[in-house]
Amino acid sequence: MKHMKVGGLMTDEVVSAVPGASFRDVAKMLAEHDISGVPVVDEDDHVVGVVSESDLLARHELTARELMNTPAVTIHAEETVADAARLMVRRGVERLPVVDEEERLVGIVTRRDLLCVYLRPDAEIRRRIREDVLTDAMDLPANVVDVHVLDGVVTLGGLVRRRSQALMLIGLAESVDGVVAVVVDRLSFHEDDTRPTSSPRTPHDISL
């Protein structure tokens, strides 16, 4: 499975502040670069905090060290875009400083950047499910399941041999970049191999 990595989506020319930067310096930085927040880095480029517009509006006449939120919520460049989105939601942040293996600042990714992933064309999503999921990951013929995509919503239809295959297909399809949701009301299986007393004789609709 191929997933878009944070490193391929981030902005690598990062505007940052030092802990001793004044309130005025940080405010000027945000205005000049038309951004809503900056990471604060030490002399070794390690991220020690983040200052946002809301921090500036709430408090005055302080340095970046006193304004910033700590500890900084960061992400590594090799993490997936889905990981970044989940982290942003879980921690309630609008941006993530991106760090390398030595925890040094190398870029920044924002919620706006992540939204670009969900503008992926439906035809591309369908192709990725057929090629990456069905053929590569599951070693099944691409035409064994009907894949329809509309506005990022995937509908799966068809008949597979085992319930475990159907469940795997759903999980892998949900993880494809750009997928908003997966609908499985037309996906069935012959054998429920997740239960010891399953009967292979009659096709069953998938039930989660």
Side-chain angles (χ1 to χ4, degrees):
M1 290 290 293
K2 303 179 183 70
H3 296 287
M4 186 178 293
K5 300 296 179 63
V6 170
L9 193 66
M10 70 183 188
T11 300
D12 55 12
E13 295 182 3
V14 191
V15 179
S16 60
V18 296
S22 68
F23 175 96
R24 183 181 296 272
D25 289 338
V26 176
K28 184 178 179 182
M29 221 177 278
L30 298 185
E32 286 183 348
H33 296 278
D34 192 25
I35 53 179
S36 60
V38 291
V40 182
V41 297
D42 63 16
E43 61 275 10
D44 296 317
D45 277 341
H46 294 150
V47 183
V48 294
V50 175
V51 177
S52 66
E53 286 176 330
S54 57
D55 298 322
L56 293 177
L57 292 172
R59 301 147 72 183
H60 299 280
E61 302 302 323
L62 299 171
T63 64
R65 181 184 291 107
E66 296 163 304
L67 284 165
M68 68 187 186
N69 290 304
T70 59
V73 182
T74 62
I75 194 164
H76 287 89
E78 288 304 306
E79 298 286 339
T80 68
V81 169
D83 291 332
R86 282 191 289 267
L87 182 58
M88 282 187 183
V89 171
R90 188 168 68 247
R91 300 299 295 271
V93 297
E94 297 288 332
R95 67 199 59 77
L96 292 171
V98 183
V99 296
D100 62 15
E101 61 276 4
E102 297 181 2
E103 303 299 321
R104 294 176 302 193
L105 181 68
V106 294
I108 196 161
V109 64
T110 67
R111 289 195 178 196
R112 182 179 297 176
D113 297 326
L114 298 186
L115 285 176
C116 294
V117 175
Y118 292 94
L119 298 178
R120 198 174 197 178
D122 289 341
E124 173 64 11
I125 294 173
R126 181 175 184 270
R127 186 172 72 85
R128 291 269 65 88
I129 292 174
R130 287 167 61 89
E131 294 180 5
D132 293 352
V133 175
L134 287 169
T135 302
D136 294 347
M138 299 187 65
D139 198 25
L140 293 173
N143 61 357
V144 72
V145 171
D146 294 324
V147 180
H148 299 281
V149 186
L150 180 62
D151 295 333
V153 177
V154 177
T155 300
L156 301 174
L159 181 64
V160 294
R161 182 176 178 182
R162 298 185 300 275
R163 185 172 191 264
S164 60
Q165 287 179 311
L167 294 174
M168 179 183 294
L169 170 58
I170 296 164
L172 291 176
E174 287 175 336
S175 71
V176 170
D177 293 331
V179 171
V180 175
V182 176
V183 180
V184 296
D185 58 344
R186 299 203 303 269
L187 183 63
S188 303
F189 58 90
H190 273 300
E191 175 187 352
D192 188 350
D193 58 338
T194 64
R195 296 181 181 179
T197 58
S198 61
S199 172
R201 292 191 297 272
T202 304
H204 305 272
D205 291 334
I206 185 70
S207 178
L208 299 179

